[in-house]
Amino acid sequence: MHNKDLNILHDFNILYLEDDENLLKHTKDILEDFVNNIYAVKTITEALDILLNKKVDVIISDILLKNENGIDFLKHIKNKNINIPTILTTAHTDTQYLLDAIRLKVENYIIKPININELLNSLHDILLPIVQKKEIQKNNNVIKTISAITDGKQVAIIKYIINTLDNENLFIASYTDIMESFAISKPTLIKLFKELAEKNILVKVQHKTYRFNEQALDNI
């Protein structure tokens, strides 16, 4: 585990379904230090409610729940075209459960008692490709955006915009904020924002708030 950067987990949300209240609380308390949000629930009904109302990046689910079954839960959400990477946990090594997990293309299958290091490693391995894909996309966005702007002096500003986008692709800053960080004149900065707006790359949504439109880059 020491070779893996667990800091990458900080931006992700986990849904944890476990009917053992003590285990649920114990694992939740540990994972809270590593992930963005952990939604810990005891029933499938609660889990479905979270999926409908929250952004979930990975599901951790026990198989044998009280009067319910984690395998059935996964089958149900996949039938609803909800495809979220999943780690199954179980106190049993029943071959049928393993076969069901394979058919559902579950990312991992952890035998209880849960080894936290194994769980964190598994989360890392699942989320690392997502992080890498985002980084590649971010770099592609920088390159495409630069190609849309003729003045090479504005490259640093473009990188700054893209690297400070929030999860909704929003960039929040005033001209003054940017000028305090970069040696750029206000007319040059206004020209840059105008060019990005004309190409529909940076769309102003309210005062000091802009949405970065990745789709516009495909037309460049």
Side-chain angles (χ1 to χ4, degrees), residues 145 149 151 154-155 157-158 161 184 187-197:
T145 304
I149 305 299
D151 188 350
Q154 300 166 341
V155 170
I157 307 298
I158 294 169
I161 290 171
I184 187 169
T188 301
L189 189 57
I190 291 174
K191 179 177 179 289
L192 169 62
F193 272 65
K194 183 178 179 181
E195 290 180 355
L196 292 172

Side-chain angles (χ1 to χ4, degrees), residues 107-125:
E107 277 64 24
N108 204 357
Y109 186 97
I110 294 178
I111 303 298
K112 293 180 178 179
I114 294 176
N115 180 298
I116 292 298
N117 286 345
E118 181 183 2
L119 180 57
L120 289 171
N121 274 324
S122 185
L123 287 170
H124 173 277
D125 292 345

Side-chain angles (χ1 to χ4, degrees), residues 132-150:
Q132 292 172 330
K133 184 177 179 181
K134 286 182 178 179
E135 287 301 313
I136 290 170
Q137 184 61 53
K138 185 182 291 185
N139 291 334
N140 286 339
N141 287 345
V142 171
I143 294 169
K144 288 182 178 180
T145 304
I146 290 171
S147 71
I149 305 299
T150 57

Side-chain angles (χ1 to χ4, degrees), residues 175-201:
Y175 290 149
T176 302
D177 294 333
I178 299 172
M179 290 165 60
E180 287 177 352
S181 301
F182 298 91
I184 187 169
S185 68
K186 189 169 184 178
T188 301
L189 189 57
I190 291 174
K191 179 177 179 289
L192 169 62
F193 272 65
K194 183 178 179 181
E195 290 180 355
L196 292 172
E198 287 174 349
K199 292 178 170 62
N200 202 35
I201 295 171

Side-chain angles (χ1 to χ4, degrees), residues 2-15:
H2 37 269
N3 292 326
K4 297 186 177 182
D5 180 13
L6 297 179
N7 288 322
I8 70 169
L9 307 183
H10 288 165
D11 293 329
F12 295 96
N13 300 329
I14 310 298
L15 170 60

Side-chain angles (χ1 to χ4, degrees), residues 60-77:
I60 303 170
S61 176
D62 189 18
I63 290 181
L64 292 181
L65 304 160
K66 186 177 180 180
N67 302 320
E68 297 180 311
N69 187 295
I71 295 287
D72 291 338
F73 166 60
L74 294 185
K75 288 178 180 177
H76 174 75
I77 64 173

